[in-house]
Amino acid sequence: MYVAVMENIFLLVLVTLLSVVQNVFFALKVEKECTGQHSKNHSEAFERLSCANRNCMDTYPTFLAVLWCAGICLSQAPAAFAGIIYLVVRQKYFVGYLGQTCQSTPGFLFGKRILFFLSLMCVVGIINHLMLTYGGSDYKEYIQTITKVVSTLLLLP
């Protein structure tokens, strides 16, 4: 039974652990900047880093919730793929924020699109479960096929 459970959530666990490593990276960058020299340029860089870290942490619980909900209720592979793309985009947002805030805008917008996709996967998975429970119709196989195809569209800018 343990193996069957792990097969259904392994990719989600992997993406979650990668996101934790990324959070540690962000925290170390902020700490490094905080303990550096105290000049005016340093203060501005620290403020940008701190703001980028705060913004990333504000959306983190939402990301984890929709990642796991989408992966469990519908399909773990497209959810994990979207999660990896989200982590790449979040890295781009964080690094972009170190320069000028306008450099972080594409990462922010792309991240919102991925969160929307994961949220949509959650809703579709829940609706399919309700249809199976109360209506006897199971469309999960068709929905999973469509989701796998649509998840590749996340790569388009």
Side-chain angles (χ1 to χ4, degrees), residues 13-112:
V13 169
L14 188 64
V15 172
T16 301
L17 289 177
L18 286 173
S19 72
V20 169
V21 169
Q22 188 180 50
N23 285 341
V24 169
F25 169 77
F26 292 163
L28 290 174
K29 288 291 263 184
V30 172
E31 180 183 1
K32 181 181 175 188
E33 190 64 36
C34 181
T35 59
Q37 300 173 351
H38 293 289
S39 65
K40 180 176 168 87
N41 190 21
H42 163 76
S43 178
E44 291 172 9
F46 174 73
E47 286 300 318
R48 283 196 306 270
L49 265 175
S50 181
C51 187
N53 187 48
R54 237 183 353 264
N55 290 345
C56 287
M57 294 313 293
D58 285 348
T59 59
Y60 188 63
T62 304
F63 164 68
L64 285 180
V66 295
L67 172 73
W68 279 86
C69 182
I72 290 173
C73 292
L74 195 58
S75 180
Q76 84 163 321
F81 177 73
I84 293 290
I85 298 298
Y86 181 79
L87 294 179
V88 170
V89 167
R90 194 167 78 146
Q91 184 73 27
K92 180 178 173 60
Y93 171 79
F94 189 83
V95 171
Y97 219 95
L98 299 180
Q100 298 175 353
T101 53
C102 65
Q103 293 174 335
S104 66
T105 303
F108 174 74
L109 296 175
F110 203 66
K112 281 178 44 176

Side-chain angles (χ1 to χ4, degrees), residues 98-134:
L98 299 180
Q100 298 175 353
T101 53
C102 65
Q103 293 174 335
S104 66
T105 303
F108 174 74
L109 296 175
F110 203 66
K112 281 178 44 176
R113 188 166 83 180
I114 293 169
L115 288 177
F116 176 75
F117 173 74
L118 287 170
S119 300
L120 191 60
M121 280 183 68
C122 293
V123 170
V124 169
I126 291 168
I127 290 172
N128 185 63
H129 176 73
L130 292 174
M131 287 174 58
L132 176 62
T133 302
Y134 298 109

